[in-house]
Each structure stands twice: as structure tokens, then as C-alpha cells.
Amino acid sequence: MAKRGYHHGNLRQALVEAALDLIAEKGPTGFTMAEAAKTAGVSAAAPYRHFAGREDLLAEVASQGYERFADVLEFAFNDGQPSPLAAFEAVGRAYLAFARKYPGHYMAMFEAGLAPGHTPELAKASERANRVLRRAAETLSARIPPERRPPSAMFAAHITALSHGIVELYARGKPGTRTPFTPEELLETGVGIYLRGLGLIERD
Amino acid sequence: MAKRGYHHGNLRQALVEAALDLIAEKGPTGFTMAEAAKTAGVSAAAPYRHFAGREDLLAEVASQGYERFADVLEFAFNDGQPSPLAAFEAVGRAYLAFARKYPGHYMAMFEAGLAPGHTPELAKASERANRVLRRAAETLSARIPPERRPPSAMFAAHITALSHGIVELYARGKPGTRTPFTPEELLETGVGIYLRGLGLIERD
DNA sequence: TGTACATCAGTGAACGCGCGTTCACTGATGTAC
DNA sequence: TGTACATCAGTGAACGCGCGTTCACTGATGTAC
């Protein structure tokens, strides 16, 4: 990754990584082209050889985030093994772990206000991640008697919303927004109660 | 609210309202002092007679938001009448209604990245709103046998996170983030399943 | 009731700043012969 | 292997812009006498 003379070598990706650091530090709107260029050790004009503009770089960051997100979730889901329930719970934990480990990606994906269709790549990547979540929900909800089964898209939306809400409200370092519970505890207990409500976990 | 000559009459509140419109339209970071002043029909320097700076105006907007939020939730809770369950569900609906009706407030409160302790007023107002939510959770959870009862702060956090997640992911006009369900449907069904999991609603 | 004066909410011009972006350029790289 | 040349990833200077904020000012308001 070291700069090697006049030509950088891999400036495009270096800019993405600079943006990730800046976004993680100051939020998606705190990130600027000029600073990303500086971080990458390059003049302010150089980024325009690789990206049409600020939004374009942001969209690339988000795209890469969704790809990694989908990878992580898919790995956690593990084709529903060893059991749909265990796999589902692993996906939930993976969601939180992703938000914690890749805050720059997460913020670019969910807090930058980019239209998901901004770029074809972005649309494709975000759809892929959603598909994994929906599949996890479908696999698990196949265990519920059909007449009591909520639509799997709704199931997935509930869990996604709960996870995202926990990340936004309780997993950030904001002083003052404190609960005595860790995000992981909150998600685990919340999902547990929810699944019990669907009859997917024994009562008590 | 009409400007009456050299002196405005109620510039402070007019600026708050201008900020609300701007925030609702372009997000908390899209709002600028200069534009708020212009919207209020006043020179760019005038706001500094009433607010120490941009952050200070933002904090005032958020404070007023939390106050109204607390009012709305308290009204919906209605001291737990006619029943703890009905009151609790009304609070959930009120949460969504608030986010929809007062987007500028909501964004200033939850998306501006203000530390809750930024201003004493802000801290006080946000605490008040949280207290209402916690009280609704406590009242309802008193119906659960103590040994199976989750801490009420956890209960409240689950519902708050679900509500916030639904607002952020599904209640905004973002094209592309579509579910076939309305935010209201999602919250109602999600909370319903959750409460069933706690044994607070009959199975089926 | 009329006048002098203190108060203070506004004005308008100015500042320094950092941003996104453009443009003519230059230095490095790779390839054809 | 050596040279000429096309390509293209960088540079650096410059632009126009809008922002947050300051400052000396001025006009309106209210009050003491």
C-alpha cells in the first residue's frame, strides 16, 4: 500500500479505505474528497481520475460494504446448519458484529442517505444482502404452521429493524444514550422473545 | 409570524421553525445558519443574537422535539388506561406518528449526532421522553410473573429499537428500500409477536 | 403628555476557510518496431 | 536490446461558492423624569 513514486499503484482502493476511516470517524457527511485524497497521500485532484465525484466514491464504499455484509451474513447462516434456529441466531449476531467491526461501511450503507439505486453495483450488492436476510427468515419460518406464519418478508423486516435500531441507539459511543445492556444482549433477548412469540422456541 | 418592520418580534422561535423545515427537507447536516436566517426573512448575522451558534440552534430544535415527543407519548399512554396492553400499543403507534408528523424534530433528535448532554435542556427533555417509554414498559410488564419478567429497561429498549429501526429503514421516502408493508403494519405485527413471546397476549 | 436616553434586536459588509471540481501540465509506464 | 511514442495517472494552481462568525453600526422600543 506504500506510495511508490509518481504513480500510486492502487489509488482507487486507497481512496476507498481513506474514506472508510474518515466516515467511521466523522460520519458520512463529515467525509470530504480533499481529506480522502490527503489521507491517501495524493493531491486533491487525483481522486477525479477514479471517481466521477464525491457521491460516486461514497457509493463505491457502500457497495463494498454491502458485498462484505452479504458475505458475513451468508457465512453466519451457513445454509441453515446446524439448525434453522441456530443459523438464524448466528445471522443476528453477525449483523451486530458487522456494524461494530466495519463502522465506516455501515454508516455509508445506512446513514449516508444514498438512494439504493444510485449505482447499478450498489443496487445489486444491497439486494444481495437483503436476499440473505430473507432466506434466513424463510428457512426458519418454514417451521411454523402455514396458517400462523407471517410473510417471510415481514419476519425479515422485523429482525432487520430491531437490529438496526439497536445499532443506531445503543451500539454507538454516544455518551448519554446508555442502557445497562450490551447491544448483543439486547438483540439476543429481543430475538428470543420474538421467536417465542412465533412458537419457534419452547415456552420457558 | 409576519415580520413587522425592523424588529422581528419572535425571531428565536421563527429560526427554530425555519430549521425544522430545512432539516426535514435536507437532513440535519444539510441545514445551515445562513439559510435558516434567510427563511426567517432576516440577515445572516441576526441568529447570533439568539443562539451561540449552529449547534446551539440545533440543540434547541432537538430539545423542543423531545418535549413534544414526551407529550405525545404521555398522551397516548394515558396513564395505562383503558388497559396496560392497549396503552402500550397506543404508545407504539404514537412513536411512529410522531416520526411521520414531525420529521424535522425526529431527525434533529436522532440523526444529528448531538450528544444528549449538549445542553441541560436537551438532557432534561430527552430524559423525560425516555421516562415515559420506560413507564409504559413497566406498567405492562408488571403483568408478567416476576420470574419470567425481563428488566423493564430492557423491555423498553427492545420496543424503542424496533420502532426506531422501522422509522429509519421503512418509513423514509428512500426509493428502493421498499417492503410491501406499511411502517404501522410492521410495528403492530412486530410488537404483537413480541408481546406474545412474553405471554402478554393469548396464543392465537 | 413630552422628551432624553439606555437598551437591544436587527443590518450589512467583511473575514478566513475549506470544499468540490476543472484544467493545462508533466512524469512514469508499457508497447510497437 | 534500444528507441519513439501513445497512454494515462498524477500535479499544482486556480475557480467560484457558501458557510459560520464577527464587528461596528443603526433603527426601534421602552422607561425615567
Side-chain angles (χ1 to χ4, degrees):
Chain A
M1 209 55 52
K3 190 179 164 180
R4 42 186 218 224
Y6 195 90
H7 280 193
H8 183 286
N10 193 11
L11 182 54
R12 186 181 169 88
Q13 192 56 27
L15 287 168
V16 168
E17 271 145 38
L20 280 171
D21 287 350
L22 293 169
I23 292 166
E25 195 187 333
K26 315 195 231 172
T29 53
F31 136 79
T32 68
M33 280 307 243
E35 209 164 354
K38 202 168 112 188
T39 304
V42 111
S43 81
Y48 295 89
R49 297 278 160 209
H50 297 276
F51 297 98
R54 195 190 115 93
E55 282 238 309
D56 202 45
L57 171 47
L58 214 60
E60 174 63 22
V61 172
S63 289
Q64 293 191 12
Y66 275 113
E67 292 290 358
R68 185 165 294 188
F69 191 49
D71 288 346
V72 162
L73 296 181
E74 209 150 52
F75 182 83
F77 181 57
N78 192 26
D79 273 320
Q81 297 304 321
S83 75
L85 179 58
F88 188 82
E89 286 173 337
V91 169
R93 283 192 297 275
Y95 189 112
L96 279 196
F98 177 85
R100 167 159 295 162
K101 199 165 170 192
Y102 306 110
H105 283 122
Y106 195 89
M107 288 174 169
M109 291 154 65
F110 294 112
E111 297 167 35
L114 284 173
H118 186 85
T119 298
E121 290 80 37
L122 181 56
K124 205 182 122 210
S126 96
E127 223 171 275
R128 190 185 143 218
N130 280 326
R131 227 177 304 125
V132 178
L133 286 167
R134 218 175 328 124
R135 193 151 59 90
E138 262 160 26
T139 305
L140 182 52
S141 91
R143 300 216 150 180
I144 309 175
E147 71 279 8
R148 303 196 325 190
R149 190 189 294 165
S152 70
M154 178 179 271
F155 187 176
H158 286 150
I159 300 301
T160 307
L162 179 62
S163 306
H164 182 67
I166 288 172
V167 168
E168 294 295 330
L169 294 178
Y170 306 113
R172 296 268 189 262
K174 277 194 216 168
T177 323
R178 282 280 156 63
T179 343
F181 312 104
T182 64
E184 284 76 10
E185 272 182 294
L186 280 175
L187 185 63
E188 194 189 334
T189 54
V191 170
I193 293 168
Y194 179 89
L195 294 180
R196 201 170 301 152
L198 286 176
L200 285 164
I201 295 186
E202 294 309 311
R203 320 215 86 215
D204 300 341
Chain B
M1 208 54 50
K3 190 181 162 179
R4 41 185 218 224
Y6 195 89
H7 282 193
H8 183 286
N10 193 12
L11 181 54
R12 186 180 169 88
Q13 192 55 28
L15 286 168
V16 168
E17 271 146 36
L20 280 171
D21 287 351
L22 292 170
I23 292 167
E25 195 187 335
K26 314 193 229 173
T29 53
F31 136 79
T32 68
M33 281 305 242
E35 207 164 356
K38 202 169 111 186
T39 304
V42 111
S43 81
Y48 296 89
R49 295 281 158 206
H50 298 275
F51 298 98
R54 194 192 117 94
E55 282 237 309
D56 202 45
L57 171 46
L58 214 58
E60 174 64 22
V61 171
S63 289
Q64 292 192 13
Y66 275 113
E67 291 290 358
R68 185 166 295 189
F69 191 47
D71 288 345
V72 161
L73 296 181
E74 209 151 53
F75 183 82
F77 181 57
N78 193 27
D79 272 318
Q81 298 304 324
S83 75
L85 180 58
F88 188 83
E89 288 173 335
V91 169
R93 283 193 297 275
Y95 189 112
L96 279 196
F98 177 85
R100 168 159 296 160
K101 198 165 170 193
Y102 305 109
H105 283 121
Y106 195 90
M107 289 175 169
M109 291 155 64
F110 295 112
E111 296 166 37
L114 283 174
H118 185 85
T119 297
E121 290 78 41
L122 181 56
K124 207 183 121 208
S126 96
E127 223 172 272
R128 190 186 144 217
N130 280 326
R131 228 176 304 126
V132 178
L133 286 167
R134 218 175 328 123
R135 193 149 59 90
E138 261 159 27
T139 306
L140 183 52
S141 91
R143 300 215 150 181
I144 309 175
E147 71 280 6
R148 302 195 326 192
R149 190 189 294 165
S152 70
M154 178 180 271
F155 186 176
H158 286 149
I159 300 300
T160 307
L162 180 62
S163 305
H164 182 67
I166 288 172
V167 167
E168 293 296 330
L169 295 177
Y170 307 114
R172 295 267 188 261
K174 279 195 214 164
T177 323
R178 282 279 156 63
T179 342
F181 311 104
T182 65
E184 283 77 11
E185 270 182 297
L186 281 175
L187 185 64
E188 193 188 336
T189 55
V191 170
I193 293 167
Y194 178 91
L195 294 181
R196 202 169 300 153
L198 285 176
L200 284 164
I201 294 187
E202 296 308 312
R203 321 214 84 218
D204 300 341

